[in-house]
Amino acid sequence: MNAFKSARPYCPSALSLALATILAGAVAPVQAQQGSDATTLDTVVVTANKRVENIRDVGASISVVGERDLENLGASSLSDYAALIPGMQVQNSGSPGLTSVSLRGISALSSGATVATYIDEVPVGSSGIYQGAGGLMLDLLPYDISRVEVLRGPQGTLYGAGAIGGLLKYVTHAADPGPPEFRAGFGVRAVPDGGQAWNARVGASLPLRDDRLGLRVSAARNGLPGYTDNAVDGRRDINSGEQTGVRAALAWDGDAVDMNLAVLQQRIRSDDRASVALDPDTQAPLFGDLTGRTWQRQPFDKRLTLASLSFDWDLGWGSFVSATGWSDTRTMDQIDATVQFGEVADLLLGLPEPGAAFVRYDFDLDKITQEFRLTSSTGGRFEWMTGVFYTREDARQSQFAWLGQRDGTPLPPAFASFATLAQLALPSTYEEIAVFANGSWRFNDRFKIDAGLRQARNEQWFSQNVSEGILAPIGDAPGESSENVFTWSLSPQFKLAEDTMLYARAATGYQPGGPNVALAGIPPSVDSSRLDSYELGLKSQFAERRAQLDLAVFRIEWDDIQVASSFNGIGGLVNGGEATSEGVELAAAFRATDQLQLGFNGAYTRASVKNDFDPTVIPQDGFDVILNTGLGGDRMPYVPRLSWSATAEYAFATSGGYDGQIGGALRWVGERLNDTTERQRVTAPGDPSTVLDEVVTAPLTLDSYRALDLYAGFGRDRWMLRAYVNNVTDEGAWSSLTPVDGAVSGARVQLAGVPIQPRTFGLEFDYRF
């Protein structure tokens, strides 16, 4: 949430034998089975329902990306593999960690996230609206990760707040008290006409006591080669950076009680963000294909520390689980705001020329969670689960806007008091307690019904503390809110044959609201968004389990959508209105021979605003401004109507004991829009029928694109050498587009385009012993 808005507001303002795992859409992942029949597709387990289950038996749309897939793709962020997951879109704002994620057309239109994030049993990221969760999704460095599970559709009954569009779950490697294992690796990657970077990783799993106690430790460093330049100061490859991570996990395998303790720390650091300056009319680069124009540096830094402790007590007839989590997340994001606020220097202060400006956001989030679950044993006619969940967030957002002269020097002494355009803090708390229950009744071998419910209550407090500046009123303005939320799900499932299941699913979800910023025309609080989802799916394996075809159709009704509303660079959140999303997801995988595996997936999504968003009335001196931030029929931002991917992999082995694989993925993403339509009307005071002026701003169009990724691996026994080329044809396309307008004049100076990753070469070597 912003008391003021700038270029990218935090409003309340990225293939092994199992490449086809990435193809699972409404689809389950596919892997080569290790056994006597090497041409069948393997069984994959997930924990979507907080039980270990065969993905083919879960009546919901789930995708899984495995560890080998991430390695072969050279994945370092969500953007590297998201396009291969049907219905999932990632909007990159210039660095890993500066990402928004949407599933099935449920876009992040506000500062709150629409996709919840878990690491194992622990939720991470904020449920509130003051930590920019919608644009700062966790982008975990995928090392020491067993798999990534993506659950589409609302997951409110088991995962609660923020899972309105679905769930992104990172499942780490557990500590193993069994045989010791060691691993080390090194790699390099480069962008032609750009930078080069190196990465290194090491991990070990060690038994400590009587095959009962195990320790796992790992550390990784991943370099991010830069590839964009800056026209203002001539700097090259400015968006370089690095990701680092360390993890330690301890596991006790007892007779009745198992225990897991883990500590993880990850950091993303980017020197600047990838951004290209574009002509606002033609979208042609103003200074070169990968050249931006900024007067102030735009560093980004995010650090996550997570500690988790879980106990699983086997009661014989069931189990009792306790999952405790504590996380500390600190984020710094600085953006160049010269175009937006630099004109304050000449248009308001009367200086000879515009100035330079930047806005720095600092987010500090301290979060604790506790969940207790009582679960029946698996395999009976009636399976059930009941539990209670508690979380508390103590958070602080700080915003600092600075104004200087165009060359970066301070303002003249007579204007020094205007150097700080805004200095404010937004401390907040979020506290929630919820009870939930899930059950599954098997009527016979073919038919069962799953059902769930959750009752939650959250209480929030915040204060808008403005200590200095001209962009927001000086003073403290506290606010608070509370709400009770009930969500439910129902999923009947029918087995048409042993390997074919037909299912239906109806479910609800919500995105928490909260107290709002204190600004004229902005309501004192924003209500939670609610969502109803209806899905019909088919999961089938045939041809002696060598082929897999999964299909899902869905319709979603979204109400009280939280949207950003701003005027003259100042903004907050409002409840806009309604939207719908409907579509079809298909995925197929076929193991043609022992060596060759093919896959295809696709998604068609039609997501749009149902009616004009409710207007925000902003009183001014002598007139009113009536602002609509979306009009009926608008498409939801960054949601292509059609997207698909096709993959192929050939595995081989030589008589000399060497083996390897060659594969590739072709992905296509359709045309998208960057925003909804904004309509601004100037009316007589208190008389909305007398329109004095009207300005309608249409969204920008991002063209469709396709990209080809290739990889190869070769090894023997304990070592493996891998090579990959991502975006082989060096396709030029945009991940996101942002208009850059003057906050005072309203003049559009340029567009800021974040390119998809250009052609990138990588070489990796791993040794296990």
Side-chain angles (χ1 to χ4, degrees):
M1 177 182 296
N2 274 356
F4 62 92
K5 181 181 178 183
S6 54
R8 195 185 66 81
Y10 294 103
C11 48
S13 59
L15 287 221
S16 68
L17 292 175
L19 178 63
T21 57
I22 302 178
L23 302 177
V27 189
V30 180
Q31 293 181 336
Q33 183 177 4
Q34 303 301 314
S36 59
D37 187 357
T39 62
T40 63
L41 301 176
D42 197 11
T43 297
V44 176
V45 297
V46 293
T47 55
N49 290 328
K50 299 196 174 184
R51 291 176 180 267
V52 177
E53 298 177 284
N54 183 343
I55 196 171
R56 311 300 302 167
D57 295 332
V58 179
S61 298
I62 308 172
S63 295
V64 177
V65 183
E67 178 183 30
R68 291 286 303 277
D69 306 305
L70 297 169
E71 291 177 350
N72 287 326
L73 286 168
S76 61
S77 68
L78 283 168
S79 299
D80 294 330
Y81 56 87
L84 300 175
I85 300 174
M88 181 174 178
Q89 297 298 322
V90 172
Q91 173 197 345
N92 190 316
S93 293
S95 169
L98 285 171
T99 48
S100 296
V101 177
S102 67
L103 286 168
R104 288 188 168 174
I106 307 305
S107 302
L109 296 177
S110 70
S111 55
T114 60
V115 177
T117 308
Y118 267 62
I119 298 179
D120 297 321
E121 293 271 7
V122 178
V124 291
S126 178
S127 298
I129 57 178
Y130 290 97
Q131 286 290 297
L136 296 171
M137 284 288 292
L138 177 65
D139 213 336
L140 199 66
L141 174 62
Y143 180 70
D144 213 22
I145 300 295
S146 172
R147 65 185 183 273
V148 180
E149 297 181 8
V150 179
L151 286 66
R152 280 176 294 280
Q155 302 296 326
T157 55
L158 282 177
Y159 294 98
I164 189 170
L167 176 74
L168 176 68
K169 186 175 186 180
Y170 296 94
V171 182
T172 63
H173 280 293
D176 186 356
E181 174 191 335
F182 299 90
R183 175 187 176 184
F186 180 83
V188 293
R189 70 180 66 194
V191 177
D193 299 322
Q196 302 84 37
W198 60 273
N199 55 72
R201 52 206 169 265
V202 63
S205 186
L206 304 169
L208 297 182
R209 180 181 175 186
D210 301 329
D211 293 330
R212 294 280 193 174
L213 186 64
L215 172 67
R216 187 177 188 92
V217 293
S218 64
R221 189 265 185 192
N222 181 58
L224 302 171
Y227 49 84
T228 60
D229 306 328
N230 186 24
V232 174
D233 55 18
R235 289 182 297 134
R236 295 180 56 83
D237 306 330
I238 64 174
N239 64 309
S240 59
E242 67 175 4
Q243 300 163 290
T244 57
V246 294
R247 177 175 176 261
L250 194 67
W252 171 261
D253 184 5
D255 292 328
V257 178
D258 297 336
M259 181 273 294
N260 288 277
L261 172 65
V263 178
L264 173 150
Q265 187 174 71
Q266 292 232 351
R267 181 184 182 187
I268 302 171
R269 181 196 57 77
S270 294
D271 297 328
D272 216 308
R273 66 178 63 197
S275 180
V276 178
L278 306 176
D279 184 279
D281 297 320
T282 67
Q283 293 190 16
L286 290 171
F287 307 101
D289 287 342
L290 291 174
T291 303
R293 176 172 62 177
T294 57
W295 288 262
Q296 296 291 310
R297 296 183 181 238
Q298 304 185 106
F300 175 75
D301 194 298
K302 182 171 185 174
R303 306 182 190 203
L304 168 68
T305 302
L306 172 67
S308 61
L309 175 65
S310 67
F311 292 91
D312 190 334
W313 181 15
D314 185 353
L315 303 172
W317 50 266
S319 62
F320 175 77
V321 175
S322 170
T324 307
W326 170 82
S327 61
D328 179 69
T329 308
R330 298 178 182 270
T331 307
M332 187 281 294
D333 184 25
Q334 181 171 302
I335 62 175
D336 175 60
T338 295
V339 172
Q340 294 88 335
F341 298 125
E343 59 187 24
V344 169
D346 58 333
L347 298 184
L348 295 185
L349 303 183
L351 291 172
E353 65 175 359
F358 69 79
V359 180
R360 185 175 67 240
Y361 298 90
D362 290 282
F363 300 90
D364 295 333
L365 174 64
D366 188 270
K367 182 183 182 85
I368 59 170
T369 63
Q370 176 63 58
E371 181 170 297
F372 296 111
R373 297 196 304 271
L374 193 61
T375 307
S376 68
S377 297
T378 300
R381 181 177 292 274
F382 179 58
E383 298 176 357
W384 55 268
M385 174 189 299
T386 185
V388 60
F389 172 83
Y390 171 81
T391 186
R392 179 180 173 89
E393 300 176 8
D394 292 292
R396 180 183 177 90
Q397 178 191 156
S398 300
Q399 301 178 13
F400 173 66
W402 175 87
L403 176 67
Q405 298 191 79
R406 183 52 65 96
D407 62 3
T409 60
L411 292 173
F415 300 93
S417 61
F418 295 98
T420 299
L421 293 174
Q423 177 79 64
L424 66 152
L426 301 172
S428 63
T429 63
Y430 179 96
E431 191 169 23
E432 178 183 337
I433 188 166
V435 292
F436 60 91
N438 270 53
S440 177
W441 180 265
R442 298 179 185 273
F443 290 86
N444 50 49
D445 291 340
R446 288 180 176 269
F447 182 59
K448 76 169 183 175
I449 292 181
D450 292 343
L453 54 86
R454 186 185 190 100
Q455 179 69 50
R457 177 176 176 82
N458 71 71
E459 297 183 350
Q460 301 183 58
W461 170 91
F462 107 113
S463 184
Q464 176 181 307
N465 303 330
V466 183
S467 57
E468 193 176 354
I470 63 174
L471 297 182
I474 304 296
D476 298 345
E480 57 185 23
S481 70
S482 63
E483 62 180 345
N484 297 300
V485 182
F486 177 75
T487 55
W488 58 269
S489 66
L490 184 66
S491 177
Q493 301 155 41
F494 185 77
K495 283 209 167 188
L496 303 175
E498 181 181 359
D499 296 316
T500 301
M501 180 180 72
L502 180 69
Y503 72 89
R505 183 173 188 263
T508 64
Y510 79 103
Q511 180 186 37
N516 220 339
V517 295
L519 295 171
I522 301 297
S525 64
V526 59
D527 295 334
S528 62
S529 297
R530 306 296 182 100
L531 181 148
D532 298 324
S533 173
Y534 307 94
E535 176 182 344
L536 182 65
L538 177 71
K539 296 185 176 184
S540 179
Q541 288 183 333
F542 52 95
E544 299 179 338
R545 295 188 179 180
R546 293 183 294 112
Q548 180 171 296
L549 178 67
D550 288 16
L551 178 70
V553 295
F554 64 89
R555 179 175 174 85
I556 295 172
E557 299 280 351
W558 192 7
D559 195 16
D560 282 337
I561 303 172
Q562 296 173 13
V563 296
S565 181
S566 67
F567 177 71
N568 282 349
I570 302 174
L573 272 188
V574 299
N575 290 105
E578 301 176 356
T580 62
S581 180
E582 54 190 11
V584 182
E585 296 164 347
L586 177 145
F590 179 53
R591 179 158 289 282
T593 68
D594 289 3
Q595 293 79 32
L596 180 62
Q597 184 162 301
L598 307 173
F600 177 84
N601 76 59
Y604 174 82
T605 308
R606 189 170 64 187
S608 61
V609 175
K610 196 170 183 179
N611 44 41
D612 292 357
F613 282 165
D614 292 341
T616 303
V617 180
I618 306 171
Q620 300 292 298
D621 187 13
F623 61 93
D624 289 342
V625 175
I626 300 179
L627 188 65
N628 295 89
T629 56
L631 302 181
D634 281 350
R635 289 172 55 183
M636 296 299 283
Y638 293 105
V639 178
R641 287 283 174 86
L642 182 64
S643 60
W644 56 264
S645 65
T647 62
E649 180 180 282
Y650 182 80
F652 61 88
T654 69
S655 57
Y658 295 93
D659 56 61
Q661 64 278 333
I662 301 172
L666 178 64
R667 45 194 165 96
W668 190 87
V669 178
E671 178 187 274
R672 294 140 291 145
L673 301 179
N674 81 316
D675 208 340
T676 50
T677 303
E678 180 179 282
R679 183 176 64 199
Q680 182 176 296
R681 286 174 171 165
V682 177
T683 69
D687 182 12
S689 64
T690 304
V691 179
L692 305 177
D693 190 23
E694 179 178 284
V695 177
V696 177
T697 304
L700 303 170
T701 300
L702 292 79
D703 291 336
S704 61
Y705 70 89
R706 63 176 175 267
L708 175 64
D709 305 326
L710 298 176
Y711 68 89
F714 183 74
R716 180 178 181 179
D717 297 330
R718 296 178 176 179
W719 63 268
M720 173 67 72
L721 181 66
R722 303 188 307 275
Y724 62 87
V725 184
N726 291 336
N727 194 359
V728 174
T729 60
D730 203 21
E731 178 80 6
W734 306 118
S735 177
S736 64
L737 281 179
T738 304
V740 184
D741 305 338
V744 179
S745 68
R748 180 154 297 178
V749 176
Q750 64 184 43
L751 307 177
V754 175
I756 64 170
Q757 183 78 21
R759 183 190 297 123
T760 302
F761 298 90
L763 189 65
E764 305 286 340
F765 178 80
D766 276 288
Y767 187 78
R768 301 173 188 265
F769 55 95

